[in-house]
Amino acid sequence: MSSSLSFRLSRGVLSTISPPIPHAKSWGLEYKPTKTRPLLDMSQGVPGTPPSDVLLDALSYSSSSRGSSGYCHVLGEPTLRSAFAKEMKTVYGPDMDVTQDDIAITAGCNMAFVATMMCLADAGDEVVLPVPWYFNHQMSLNLLGIKTVPLYTRVNEGFLPSTSDCENLINPRTKAIALVTPNNPTGAIYSPDLISRFAELAQKHKIALVLDETYRDFVDTMPPHNLFSPFHTEVSKPSSLWRSNVIHLFSFSKSYCFPGHRLGLIAASPHLLKHVTTTLDCLQICAPRPPQLALASPGLLPILRQSIQAGAQSLKTRHDIFHKHLPPGWTIGSQGGYFAFVKHPFVGIPAITLCQRLAEELGVLVLPMQFFCDDNVGPDLESLGQSKKDWERWIRFSVANVSDDMVKQVCGRLHECEQHLGWNVE
């Protein structure tokens, strides 16, 4: 390993928790499960159900096809890019202005983020991330030598980011604002108005707005935003400003329930995608071809929309169950998509301490706030009128990869933990 890479890895979260999910799962290895008390894992945002049968059949056929073993275009199968541009109309409206030429298929959404950032920023440049942040975004920026600028959200505002706070962080080194909605880790759902205001802010400062919408299919109201909608003027044809600075990211893993097949997506201007092509050619050559061919099967995406909607309804029901059965004193700060963000009731106990004991002693695996922010959060929080000790009591629960009954079991063990741990409660 080169000295420069060693130095880069020695900074920030990578030196202590690398990466967070395996770190947390190591706690679960200490638990001794039984038939009646299995390990209950709500740590990772993965689908809890398999792909639909029709998609599995398409995957089987495409995997056995002789033509599926070769390379495809760096930006993905043209048939899938075209079909998915049409599919996006079911989410963003029939007038949505995204075409095949605006779409790149990547090997997962994390790859989409990395490739995007490699095209937007150089080492030493800055990208604004709301905090709590998705740790893979922060770790990716760290590996690239790009400075992460934390945009702290407020607990009493449901962990929604503020455009005015964000504008105070922008300087000549700022290249992008990166948002995730519905949010990972908090589950907070950004309104169309809030997203539009961030797009306007980015446009004002001539920087990119990178919008990760991995969980967009799991919200009650559609469309999630109106950035892709064309507008009319008296002197021009319908047009859309979004290509000037908006970059949309998407993951097929959640909506289509096949994370192991690693498909993600970038929607951006064809001009940016020229640079993305070079980057992806160096990183991956092309995304896995069989799942692309499967999803591009004629008429398949409209059929799969039905299973996506059924999955979203099941997830909503599970959120309701979690809310209903959560013990008194455990406070939900925000909830949506795959996640619920919850404040535990134990006074003066950091969430990371509690989460380790929950996993090792009670068989409940969840992730603490400390995985979603820097260690040195104190001064910045206090400047916003927030307490670091209260901030450190928040926990992410993923309700997606467990059954309804398992959600109830988790809540039951949270009831137990107050007596088991013997700590003072608020």
Side-chain angles (χ1 to χ4, degrees):
M1 181 181 294
S2 70
S3 59
S4 60
L5 183 56
S6 298
F7 173 71
R8 189 175 297 170
L9 288 171
S10 71
R11 296 179 297 172
V13 70
L14 292 179
S15 63
T16 56
I17 303 170
S18 180
I21 294 291
H23 183 86
K25 288 187 180 294
S26 69
W27 299 336
L29 296 176
E30 300 299 316
Y31 179 68
K32 307 301 179 186
T34 67
K35 289 184 178 180
T36 56
R37 289 182 67 88
L39 178 70
L40 302 174
D41 188 350
M42 296 181 74
S43 67
Q44 193 165 12
V46 295
T49 56
S52 67
D53 288 342
V54 66
L55 178 54
L56 288 173
D57 290 342
L59 282 167
S60 177
Y61 178 81
S62 65
S63 298
S64 63
S65 171
R66 292 183 179 181
S68 67
S69 59
Y71 293 136
C72 66
H73 190 281
V74 174
L75 295 184
E77 287 290 333
T79 50
L80 176 58
R81 293 163 62 197
S82 175
F84 204 76
K86 294 177 182 177
E87 164 65 10
M88 288 176 69
K89 293 180 182 294
T90 66
V91 178
Y92 299 101
D95 294 330
M96 180 215 65
D97 178 28
V98 177
T99 72
Q100 171 184 334
D101 294 336
D102 302 314
I103 289 177
I105 305 298
T106 62
C109 195
N110 281 329
M111 177 67 78
F113 182 83
V114 169
T116 295
M117 289 304 162
M118 291 179 73
C119 294
L120 292 177
D122 295 318
D125 288 335
E126 299 182 1
V127 173
V128 178
L129 294 187
V131 183
W133 53 44
Y134 172 44
F135 41 68
N136 278 55
H137 285 176
Q138 190 271 343
M139 290 191 295
S140 295
L141 294 175
N142 198 27
L143 282 170
L144 295 171
I146 300 168
K147 181 182 178 181
T148 301
V149 177
L151 169 60
Y152 290 94
T153 58
R154 291 174 171 83
V155 172
N156 61 359
E157 296 177 2
F159 295 100
L160 295 174
S162 161
T163 51
S164 59
D165 287 346
C166 184
E167 186 160 26
N168 292 333
L169 301 173
I170 296 173
N171 63 61
R173 301 294 297 180
T174 308
K175 300 301 180 183
I177 305 164
L179 305 180
V180 182
T181 177
N183 188 255
N184 180 3
T186 67
I189 299 170
Y190 300 176
S191 69
D193 177 66
L194 180 61
I195 294 170
S196 293
R197 283 189 279 120
F198 268 101
E200 292 168 3
L201 176 65
Q203 181 73 31
K204 173 183 175 181
H205 291 276
K206 295 181 172 54
I207 61 176
L209 175 65
V210 179
L211 195 60
D212 183 334
E213 296 187 80
T214 290
Y215 306 97
R216 69 164 190 222
D217 288 315
F218 307 102
V219 297
D220 291 334
T221 58
M222 291 291 179
H225 58 77
N226 298 306
L227 299 186
F228 296 139
S229 298
F231 65 90
H232 296 261
T233 68
E234 294 180 357
V235 296
S236 69
K237 296 179 179 179
S239 61
S240 180
L241 276 176
W242 75 268
R243 292 181 183 85
S244 66
N245 73 317
V246 173
I247 301 167
H248 160 87
L249 308 182
F250 177 71
S251 169
F252 291 84
S253 300
K254 276 63 176 183
S255 297
Y256 297 96
C257 298
F258 65 164
H261 290 280
R262 307 310 303 140
L263 286 187
L265 177 145
I266 302 170
S269 70
H271 174 73
L272 178 67
L273 291 187
K274 290 179 181 179
H275 302 285
V276 170
T277 301
T278 302
T279 302
L280 292 179
D281 194 34
C282 295
L283 293 175
Q284 68 182 50
I285 300 180
C286 66
R289 197 172 188 191
Q292 292 190 64
L293 293 172
L295 287 171
S297 301
L300 183 60
L301 288 177
I303 294 173
L304 294 177
R305 176 55 48 182
Q306 299 173 25
S307 64
I308 290 172
Q309 292 170 341
Q313 183 57 50
S314 296
L315 189 58
K316 184 178 185 299
T317 299
R318 206 164 301 131
H319 272 295
D320 292 340
I321 292 171
F322 182 74
H323 186 275
K324 178 181 178 180
H325 291 272
L326 196 65
W330 294 74
T331 305
I332 296 177
S334 52
Q335 189 173 14
Y338 268 27
F339 306 110
F341 216 52
V342 181
K343 182 181 177 182
H344 74 70
F346 301 107
V347 179
I349 303 298
I352 193 168
T353 301
L354 172 59
C355 289
Q356 183 169 354
R357 291 197 63 181
L358 283 175
E360 294 178 351
E361 300 172 29
L362 292 170
V364 174
L365 194 56
V366 288
L367 300 186
M369 167 69 92
Q370 288 79 1
F371 285 7
F372 305 102
C373 61
D374 275 335
D375 292 336
N376 56 347
V377 297
D380 294 305
L381 286 173
E382 291 168 4
S383 69
L384 296 174
Q386 302 187 82
S387 164
K388 181 180 179 182
K389 287 186 177 180
D390 283 344
W391 179 269
E392 290 182 336
R393 287 166 61 182
W394 291 89
I395 298 171
R396 189 190 81 173
F397 289 77
S398 174
V399 304
N401 60 325
V402 289
S403 66
D404 294 355
D405 182 64
M406 289 174 69
V407 170
K408 296 176 184 178
Q409 291 183 52
V410 166
C411 292
R413 294 190 197 181
L414 296 182
H415 274 284
E416 295 175 22
C417 79
E418 295 184 16
Q419 183 175 357
H420 175 84
L421 296 174
W423 290 332
N424 292 329
V425 297
E426 195 170 43

